[in-house]
Amino acid sequence: DAGVIQSPRHEVTEMGQEVTLRCKPISGHNSLFWYRQTMMRGLELLIYFNNNVPIDDSGMPEDRFSAKMPNASFSTLKIQPSEPRDSAVYFCASSLATTGSELTGELFFGEGSRLTVL
Amino acid sequence: RKEVEQDPGPFNVPEGATVAFNCTYSNSASQSFFWYRQDCRKEPKLLMSVYSSGNEDGRFTAQLNRASQYISLLIRDSKLSDSATYLCVVNGPTDTGRRALTFGSGTRLQVQP
């Protein structure tokens, strides 16, 4: 079975450019999460969706970041304009929440998108 | 103060050793607890859940102390393949009221031949 699929795996861009990261969750999962990982701050939750609806976006660093989930099989995380401090690995994860938006604990992560902003 | 705190390590141990990792969490209302494993340049994967009564999965034992807000992971008879970063994860309302999985920064283990 296919796991969580993210693209691109690697992206190098220049400051000021728009970056779009994509995620396809595991079929049947109703919760989707975007995390960012850096050496300094570890894994940080940016936003999560339940049944395609954003539940909590308080982790989104600032207005330059936006995320959408137009349907159950696709989500994007956009950074516009990008800055060098956005360099990180961005993980998408999905889960099956059994009770509304309750989180079951097992998240299935994609392989991540490694972003470098010069 | 971080919501989930771990000793970053690294823990360098010989094969066959027993090693223990600790984790503390700040919110007493946290409801469930997990250990994830992350290999170098890979994604995190669930290692095991942590139950109130303690639980074991082969060479791995997890324990929870709610009174002290403390979680532990014990690895017996370490293998080279156990080398990874171990992430303590807490589920439940955070200090800011969010309901989410909160990850610790991880403890790095290096098992040496």
Side-chain angles (χ1 to χ4, degrees), chain B residues 25-38:
Chain B
Y25 59 96
S26 61
N27 194 320
S28 61
S30 298
Q31 296 169 336
S32 50
F33 311 89
F34 310 88
W35 284 100
Y36 275 67
R37 170 190 169 133
Q38 186 173 22

Side-chain angles (χ1 to χ4, degrees), chain B:
Chain B
R1 182 186 172 191
K2 288 186 179 178
E3 297 189 44
V4 180
E5 295 218 46
Q6 295 183 251
D7 180 343
F11 284 56
N12 294 303
V13 302
E15 272 186 290
T18 295
V19 61
F21 305 137
N22 303 320
C23 166
T24 57
Y25 59 96
S26 61
N27 194 320
S28 61
S30 298
Q31 296 169 336
S32 50
F33 311 89
F34 310 88
W35 284 100
Y36 275 67
R37 170 190 169 133
Q38 186 173 22
D39 292 308
C40 187
R41 301 181 76 85
K42 297 286 190 181
E43 72 273 22
K45 293 183 180 178
L46 179 66
L47 176 67
M48 60 194 301
S49 302
V50 185
Y51 302 122
S52 297
S53 54
N55 50 296
E56 193 173 298
D57 183 359
R59 298 181 292 109
F60 297 83
T61 300
Q63 293 196 310
L64 168 66
N65 184 324
R66 285 189 184 271
S68 302
Q69 295 177 206
Y70 171 97
I71 306 159
S72 66
L73 177 68
L74 183 78
I75 306 176
R76 292 182 299 279
D77 188 22
S78 302
K79 311 290 185 194
L80 293 175
S81 57
D82 294 334
S83 298
T85 296
Y86 291 84
L87 303 166
C88 176
V89 185
V90 173
N91 186 16
T94 68
D95 290 342
T96 56
R98 305 176 70 193
R99 296 193 62 81
L101 286 184
T102 303
F103 283 76
S105 296
T107 299
R108 192 157 66 90
L109 171 66
Q110 184 66 49
V111 181
Q112 295 163 337

